[in-house]
Amino acid sequence: FSPDGRFILTVNDDGSVRYWDVEREKIVHSFTLDSEFNYYAGTQISSDGRLGLVRPNTEAGNPTVYIFDLQAGKLLRKLNVTEKGQATGHIALSSDARTLLVPALLHQKTTVYDLEKGTERQITANGAVVSFLPDNRYAVWGGKDGVVSVRDIQTGKLVATSSNHKYPVGGMSVAPDGRVVLAGHARFSHMPAPNKETLKEDFAIRVWQLPESLWPKTTADRIAEASRLKGHSDSIEGLAWSADGK
C-alpha cells in the first residue's frame, strides 16, 4: 500500500507489475520486468509515495531489485544484488527514499546503496532481516543467532544489541515512533524439530524496547525485552505495525 492507502503495487510471477488506484479499481501504470527469473519476494512503496520497489526472491535465483518512479510511470534503476554473494529476500528503503539496505544471507555484510548519488558501499552487520529507524541514521538487523542489533548506517558501528535466541529472526517490524521493535523467530528445514512443550515460548513475538539515546558509545547498549506475545507455535517470517503504533 501507499502511505495514504489510495494505491497498491503488485507483482506477478510472470514479471508483470501493476500500480493500482484502489478506490477507482483501475491500473494507473503497468510495467513488465525484463528478467529471465519469475520469482519475486514482494513490493514496497516509499514513505513519500514516490518510489516503488520490486524485491527479488534471490534464494530462487532472481538477482535484481527494480526501482520505479510511480508518478512518472517509469523504471528508474535496476540493482543486481547477488553479484557480491548477497542472496536476500529482505531489503529496506529509508523513509526519504535515498538509501537502500541489502543484507546478505550468507555473509555478515550489508550493502548500502545511495540512490541519489548512485554509489554503494558495504558495512559489517549480522542479520538478513533489516529495517530503518525513523531518523534514517540507524537501522535494526535481525540475526541468524536471534539477536536484534542497531547500527549507525554511516559508520556501521554497533550501538545497541539484544540477547540471543535459539532460532534466527525471521520477521521484524519497527514501531512508527522508532522506540519499539517486534521480532519473530523462524525455524528452517535444516534445523532440529522444536520441543512441543516450548513451542509457544520459542515462537513468541519478542517486544524489544530500544534505548532512549542511540548515539554511538564506547560499548553498545543492551536492548531490553519489554514483553512477549505468545500464541504462535511455528515460524514467524513477517510482522507489521498499524499506522498509529497501537
Side-chain angles (χ1 to χ4, degrees):
F1 272 98
S2 61
D4 59 10
R6 294 175 55 204
F7 302 94
I8 57 174
L9 186 65
T10 62
V11 62
N12 192 278
D13 278 348
D14 64 3
S16 60
V17 180
R18 303 287 185 264
Y19 183 52
W20 302 80
D21 183 316
V22 177
E23 185 175 341
R24 296 169 60 199
E25 297 183 6
K26 290 187 175 181
I27 297 173
V28 181
H29 298 299
S30 61
F31 315 92
T32 300
L33 305 180
D34 58 344
S35 173
E36 61 182 296
F37 302 96
N38 296 323
Y39 303 100
Y40 303 94
T43 64
Q44 183 178 347
I45 297 178
S46 62
S47 298
D48 59 5
R50 183 172 57 90
L51 298 183
L53 273 71
V54 174
R55 305 194 308 272
N57 184 341
T58 52
E59 291 183 276
N62 190 340
T64 308
V65 174
Y66 292 84
I67 304 173
F68 297 94
D69 183 325
L70 296 178
Q71 273 66 54
K74 64 180 182 180
L75 177 66
L76 290 179
R77 192 174 179 189
K78 295 190 297 183
L79 299 174
N80 187 323
V81 297
T82 60
E83 57 189 5
K84 303 179 185 64
Q86 297 177 50
T88 180
H90 298 268
I91 61 178
L93 180 67
S94 61
S95 60
D96 58 11
R98 294 179 178 178
T99 308
L100 183 70
L101 299 179
V102 180
L105 281 176
L106 303 178
H107 311 288
Q108 293 187 5
K109 295 289 184 181
T110 291
T111 301
V112 182
Y113 292 92
D114 187 315
L115 300 180
E116 287 192 335
K117 297 179 181 178
T119 59
E120 62 185 78
R121 56 188 173 84
Q122 285 192 327
I123 60 175
T124 299
N126 175 29
V129 182
V130 64
S131 295
F132 274 96
L133 294 185
D135 63 3
N136 294 322
R137 175 173 180 176
Y138 301 100
V140 187
W141 278 260
K144 291 182 179 180
D145 53 4
V147 170
V148 172
S149 59
V150 181
R151 291 184 180 272
D152 186 306
I153 298 299
Q154 294 301 317
T155 64
K157 184 178 178 63
L158 179 68
V159 296
T161 184
S162 75
S163 57
N164 60 2
H165 189 275
K166 67 194 300 184
Y167 294 121
V169 176
M172 191 172 62
S173 184
V174 178
D177 62 7
R179 296 181 178 180
V180 178
V181 175
L182 301 179
H185 298 270
R187 184 186 73 86
F188 300 108
S189 58
H190 66 279
M191 296 178 176
N195 186 332
K196 293 183 179 180
E197 296 180 358
T198 62
L199 282 178
K200 290 188 176 181
E201 184 69 30
D202 291 341
F203 297 108
I205 297 170
R206 263 62 174 181
V207 183
W208 297 103
Q209 184 78 44
L210 298 184
E212 287 296 321
S213 174
L214 286 175
W215 294 102
K217 306 174 181 65
T218 303
T219 57
D221 279 335
R222 175 64 67 178
I223 301 174
E225 184 177 346
S227 61
R228 297 184 184 185
L229 307 177
K230 298 180 181 180
H232 288 284
S233 58
D234 208 337
S235 297
I236 299 170
E237 298 186 26
L239 289 165
W241 284 88
S242 60
D244 60 8
K246 294 181 179 180

